[in-house]
């Protein structure tokens, strides 16, 4: 079952990042990385063609309260997002267990420095230790080796795979992984 989530009052610090709710002032930083070719397509969406597009998505981030902004410490700049998404399909997880699916995107300028594993590990720790989730899932398109590596490095285990219709009107094969809360007896 999807766990309740509200990031409004959550702030998570890692060595290099602050994870916190999105704000209207983040619009330019968001557009700066979301407009770049080859970023959103790996997650199933087209590069933002205008700042209005970024504004609309930013409004939904603020309204839905399930997505963190990834702020680079020391600069105040937002360089990515990490969402705790609902799982729409039945992937065989027992209904009584509470969890969410992690989704993420990082500015291309910052790829390859281990920043997303750092953010994901901090969110895993928070969701398990503070929010008491039973599990987290995370998935990637089969062609997305960068995301596969993040998932592997964060200790997830393969769960299942399925076809997914993207917002771009394309179909992608998804591999979905799961991590159970080790603090909970199963
Ligand atoms: C997936 C993503 C978040 C990874 O973040 P990151 O902080 O760069 O992660 P890492 O630094 O751990 O790098 C992960 C892998 O990417 C690869 N990589 C790193 N820099 C790269 C670059 N500039 N170009 C291509 N691949 C690169 C490496 O193979 C690395 O694996 P390794 O640690 O085994 O060498 C980032 O690539 C991204 O935002 N991609 C676009 C959106 C996306 O795919 N979202 C996920 C949807 S499921």
């Amino acid at each position: 079952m999807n766990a309740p989530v509200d990031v409004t009052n959550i702030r998570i610090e890692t060595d290099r990042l602050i994870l916190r709710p999105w704000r209207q002032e983040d619009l330019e930083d968001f557009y700066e990385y979301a407009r770049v070719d080859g970023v959103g397509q790996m997650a199933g969406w087209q590069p933002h063609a205008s700042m209005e597009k970024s504004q609309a998505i930013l409004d939904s981030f603020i309204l839905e309260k399930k997505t963190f902004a990834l702020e680079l410490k020391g600069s105040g700049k937002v360089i990515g997002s990490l969402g705790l998404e609902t799982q729409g399909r039945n992937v065989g997880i027992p209904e009584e267990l509470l969890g969410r699916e992690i989704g993420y995107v990082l500015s291309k300028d910052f790829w390859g420095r281990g920043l997303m594993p750092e953010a994901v590990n901090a969110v895993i720790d928070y969701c398990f230790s503070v929010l008491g989730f039973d599990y987290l899932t995370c998935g990637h398109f089969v062609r997305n080796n960068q995301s596969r590596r993040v998932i592997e490095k964060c200790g997830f285990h393969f769960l299942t795979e399925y076809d997914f219709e993207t917002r771009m009107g394309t179909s992608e094969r998804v591999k979905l992984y799961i991590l159970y809360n080790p603090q909970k007896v199963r």
Side-chain angles (χ1 to χ4, degrees):
M1 203 190 306
N2 292 307
V5 163
D6 181 346
V7 303
T8 311
N9 295 311
I10 302 178
R11 178 187 160 95
I12 303 171
E13 273 201 44
T14 70
D15 285 349
R16 294 173 289 174
L17 297 168
I18 296 167
L19 283 66
R20 48 114 174 129
W22 281 88
R23 305 173 188 137
Q24 287 296 349
E25 309 88 88
D26 300 323
L27 177 61
E28 284 186 15
D29 289 345
F30 183 30
Y31 180 54
E32 188 179 320
Y33 75 77
R35 67 199 288 268
V36 175
D37 190 37
V39 177
Q41 291 102 321
M42 311 264 276
W45 46 270
Q46 292 285 7
H48 293 184
S50 65
M51 204 178 271
E52 287 69 34
K53 176 70 184 178
S54 297
Q55 178 70 70
I57 305 292
L58 176 61
D59 287 344
S60 72
F61 284 165
I62 292 171
L63 188 72
E64 293 171 9
K65 303 179 170 88
K66 60 181 170 64
T67 304
F68 291 104
L70 307 187
E71 182 183 312
L72 191 64
K73 265 188 186 172
S75 72
K77 192 176 180 64
V78 171
I79 59 165
S81 73
L82 189 156
L84 291 167
E85 311 295 338
T86 53
Q87 176 63 255
R89 69 185 65 225
N90 181 355
V91 290
I93 302 167
E95 187 59 17
E96 66 275 16
L97 299 185
L98 284 176
R100 285 266 171 156
E101 179 169 331
I102 292 181
Y104 43 68
V105 171
L106 187 69
S107 163
K108 211 175 201 174
D109 292 343
F110 295 88
W111 287 2
R113 304 183 195 182
L115 282 164
M116 197 53 81
E118 186 172 315
V120 171
N121 277 322
V123 167
I124 290 170
D125 189 44
Y126 191 88
C127 288
F128 286 172
S129 301
V130 181
L131 301 180
F133 284 15
D134 296 298
Y135 70 90
L136 283 162
T137 57
C138 196
H140 66 82
F141 299 161
V142 287
R143 63 189 173 89
N144 189 346
N145 287 317
Q146 295 164 230
S147 185
R148 175 178 57 77
R149 286 297 296 137
V150 173
I151 292 168
E152 288 171 351
K153 289 192 280 187
C154 293
F156 286 82
H157 303 284
F158 177 74
L159 178 67
T160 187
E161 58 181 274
Y162 53 83
D163 293 318
F164 175 75
E165 302 298 321
T166 72
R167 276 174 264 173
M168 302 186 294
T170 53
S171 181
E172 296 273 359
R173 191 80 181 155
V174 171
K175 281 184 186 275
L176 187 74
Y177 300 73
I178 193 161
L179 187 64
Y180 287 104
N181 186 345
Q183 297 160 30
K184 294 228 172 169
V185 181
R186 293 181 56 238

